[in-house]
Amino acid sequence: MTVTLEEAARAAFRSAFDGEPTILAEAPGRVELLGNHTDHNDGLVLAAAIDLSTVVVGRPRPGPVARVWSAIKGAGDSFDVGDIGRQPPKDWRNYHRGVCWALAGAAGPLVEGFDAAIVGDVPLGGGLSSSASLQGAMALFLLHAGLLSRSEETGLDDLDDRARLALARLLRRSENEFVGVQSGPLDQFTSLFGRRDHALTLDCRSFEYERLPLGDPPPAVVVCDTKDPHELADGMYNRRRAECERAVAYFRRQRGADRVSSLRDVTLDDLDAARDALDPVAFRRARHVLTENARVAAGAAALRDGDVAAFGALMSASHASSRDDFENSSPALEALIAAAGSSPGFLGGKLTGAGWAGCTVNLVAPGHADAFKASVRDRYRSATGTDPDIHVCHAAQGAHGRALR
Ligand code: GLA
């Protein structure tokens, strides 16, 4: 973490509350390197945590009241920790309250309230999972502050991989059930499991995972933000889920509901054979998902072989499939991908996250990131008239916390 983010968090705490925080927790945002829209289809993903993060600093507080100040939102919240689920507020406050709700459900009620300040540098609404990084930081704050009455008993306190997997599932549950956003497990998993200079694969059906080195020296992970004012479309996300479900429903009718629970039970050969029977939209959505699963498997093999160039080519193929079959690109994303493709050090790039707006992620050969950044900025600006935000990142460590002195 940059010293600045810790200092900003301490300063935000001091000005919102009296005194000093005793605990700091930090969790990164993430990029999806391969496996676009595979996670909600029980598929395979390959992602990395990045060195943009959310930091929560705070301390326990006698009594049942929690007070939260978000320097990101420039707004505060207070609630009774014994009564979190009653009236969800349906706005940004849902995220930290939902974490308290989900962790209290699994590891006992909170023993007392707390004061906490939130700062961060993950761009909001850019598809980099600022929300999962906030959830991860809030969860680790609660655990490190010893606020959950049964966390030791449940083993969540250990923060080993087993505990992190349980935590990732709890945080996903919080987002699905408390916040009401139907996302897959990718974001919370990556924010919790990230490792410096490594990518992560996750099988969203079996929850098997592997950390894979990105190379030595590793390529830069360059995130380019279209600055497209279009919101990431929740409505489109749900529509795509329904289109994938249409393909699943067809195979269930053909083969029986007990044999097909998701697109994971369908092969590309099955899909090709069903081409004339399926509606063309469902066919293309399913083809994207199944070819993405294959690209994740091929990408993991390329990383095991140390072949980062092959990995980059798979990322570009993934983008083409998103654009043509899943249709979740946009003119701004296309302009940014074109700008990257003719810039120095480019190894491969794609849209990251839901799509329709937000960011692209690019792998850039070691030593070329600055030239790449300057070139993409110029090319995108002359194509669209907009200045992109460009973050030169590296694959980063997952969520962590510590006591402050
Ligand atoms: C969003 C969701 C993720 C995943 C991606 C698309 O980022 O939060 O769970 O579905 O879209 O791959």
Side-chain angles (χ1 to χ4, degrees):
M1 176 195 351
T2 55
V3 175
T4 1
L5 218 46
E6 177 174 343
E7 279 171 357
R10 286 176 181 267
F13 186 93
R14 269 184 228 116
S15 64
F17 313 107
D18 287 334
E20 295 290 329
T22 56
I23 301 291
L24 176 146
E26 177 181 23
R30 66 97 190 90
V31 287
E32 164 207 288
L33 295 171
L34 285 172
N36 186 234
H37 286 273
T38 50
D39 68 342
H40 53 83
N41 286 294
D42 275 357
L44 307 176
V45 292
L46 209 155
I50 51 175
D51 41 2
L52 296 171
S53 57
T54 303
V55 170
V56 172
V57 295
R59 63 167 186 230
R61 175 175 202 273
V65 174
R67 300 186 299 179
V68 173
W69 169 255
S70 168
I72 300 169
K73 294 288 175 185
D77 183 25
S78 89
F79 57 98
D80 186 324
V81 295
D83 187 26
I84 306 164
R86 284 287 161 78
Q87 279 182 333
K90 297 199 183 355
D91 59 22
W92 66 276
R93 294 171 296 173
N94 269 342
Y95 269 96
H96 56 259
R97 290 190 188 194
V99 173
C100 297
W101 169 82
L103 266 65
L110 271 69
V111 293
E112 58 186 338
F114 59 86
D115 287 335
I118 306 171
V119 305
D121 58 7
V122 188
L124 299 189
L128 300 178
S129 284
S130 56
S131 49
S133 80
L134 165 62
Q135 289 185 301
M138 183 52 76
L140 263 71
F141 163 71
L142 296 177
L143 288 167
H144 279 272
L147 282 163
L148 293 153
S149 46
R150 293 192 298 108
S151 57
E152 229 172 281
E153 228 174 279
T154 57
L156 276 184
D157 259 2
D158 299 344
L159 288 170
D160 55 4
D161 277 3
R162 195 201 49 78
R164 283 173 189 263
L165 197 52
L167 213 46
R169 293 171 117 155
L170 285 171
L171 297 182
R172 181 194 180 193
R173 183 165 167 237
S174 163
E175 187 165 46
N176 289 176
E177 293 177 26
F178 194 92
V179 182
V181 172
Q182 292 312 309
S183 49
L186 167 71
D187 305 344
Q188 291 87 6
F189 172 81
T190 311
S191 183
L192 286 162
F193 275 75
R195 178 174 295 168
R196 195 186 150 90
D197 296 336
H198 284 64
L200 296 157
T201 55
L202 173 68
D203 180 327
C204 298
R205 170 171 272 185
S206 67
F207 283 90
E208 279 165 30
Y209 58 88
E210 187 180 353
R211 295 180 175 94
L212 296 161
L214 275 168
D216 186 16
V221 176
V222 183
V223 174
C224 302
D225 189 335
T226 55
K227 303 277 285 292
D228 186 343
H230 287 107
E231 291 277 307
L232 288 187
D234 276 355
M236 290 304 282
Y237 189 93
N238 291 336
R239 189 162 141 192
R240 288 293 181 273
R241 287 186 75 129
E243 289 162 353
C244 293
E245 274 308 312
R246 282 216 306 268
V248 175
Y250 168 82
F251 287 102
R252 290 178 142 205
R253 283 195 301 276
Q254 295 299 306
R255 305 221 304 252
D258 52 329
R259 296 186 56 203
V260 181
S261 69
S262 70
L263 281 177
R264 196 64 188 281
D265 299 312
V266 177
T267 66
L268 268 171
D269 285 345
D270 297 336
L271 186 66
D272 274 336
R275 184 167 196 155
D276 293 337
L278 263 173
D279 77 80
V281 169
F283 174 82
R284 280 187 286 118
R285 306 303 185 239
R287 183 168 61 185
H288 167 73
V289 170
L290 297 186
T291 57
E292 275 293 88
N293 285 341
R295 278 185 287 271
V296 171
L303 289 182
R304 281 184 213 108
D305 290 347
D307 191 348
V308 83
F311 187 83
L314 287 160
M315 287 174 68
S316 294
S318 162
H319 181 79
S321 174
S322 294
R323 178 192 62 217
D324 300 337
D325 273 352
F326 212 70
E327 295 182 275
N328 61 336
S329 189
S330 70
L333 284 165
E334 288 310 307
L336 207 39
I337 286 287
S342 44
S343 292
F346 176 78
L347 296 167
K350 61 186 272 296
L351 64 84
T352 182
W356 296 288
C359 296
T360 64
V361 56
N362 306 273
L363 281 198
V364 176
H368 288 77
D370 289 342
F372 177 84
K373 178 174 173 173
S375 161
V376 171
R377 166 158 297 137
D378 286 353
R379 286 166 197 269
Y380 184 73
R381 192 196 282 133
S382 50
T384 65
T386 301
D387 253 330
D389 278 342
I390 302 182
H391 310 276
V392 175
C393 299
H394 289 88
Q397 203 63 24
H400 52 92
R402 62 185 154 89
L404 289 171
R405 279 181 296 158

